Each structure stands twice: as structure tokens, then as C-alpha cells.
Amino acid sequence: MSTAIAAPVDRLLYKPEEAAEALAIGRSTVYELMADGALKYIKLGRTRRIRRKDLEAYVENLSPLPA
């Protein structure tokens, strides 16, 4: 008996909780980043969603600490 593991869905929009998991940070940190304007998001009704390209742009703009 083999158990098939489904591949993760390549999403276009992420809930803040999902974005936090993808970035390996806390949910409250994601909300702080959105409030500060550091992480762009869209509103769909009363919900907030973060586009995949905005997550990628946020990561690309992070500066590594000097060695």
C-alpha cells in the first residue's frame, strides 16, 4: 500500500498565514510588513491576499547582513 503525496499548489494569491509559512516568519510579522508598506497586498472584499510576485519581490529586496 503506497501513499501518494500531493505536490503543493503553486498559488497566485496567498492568505497572510500562508505567506508567513512560505517566508518562514510569523503571521503577525506579515501583518506588520503589510501595514508598513514593505509587503504589498490586495484587498478582496474584507480579506487580504498577497500576490506571489509581491512575495518574491519582498524577498529579492531583502539585504543580507555584512559578513
Side-chain angles (χ1 to χ4, degrees), residues 17-40:
E17 295 80 10
E18 295 167 337
E21 185 177 333
L23 295 172
I25 60 176
R27 181 182 68 90
S28 59
T29 303
V30 170
Y31 281 103
E32 289 173 11
L33 292 170
M34 290 190 299
D36 293 342
L39 182 58
K40 294 181 183 178

Side-chain angles (χ1 to χ4, degrees), residues 3-49:
T3 304
I5 299 174
V9 177
D10 193 19
R11 299 178 185 269
L12 296 175
L13 295 173
Y14 290 83
K15 296 177 185 176
E17 295 80 10
E18 295 167 337
E21 185 177 333
L23 295 172
I25 60 176
R27 181 182 68 90
S28 59
T29 303
V30 170
Y31 281 103
E32 289 173 11
L33 292 170
M34 290 190 299
D36 293 342
L39 182 58
K40 294 181 183 178
Y41 66 93
I42 60 171
K43 286 194 77 168
L44 295 172
R46 294 175 56 192
T47 64
R48 296 176 186 156
R49 295 293 183 261

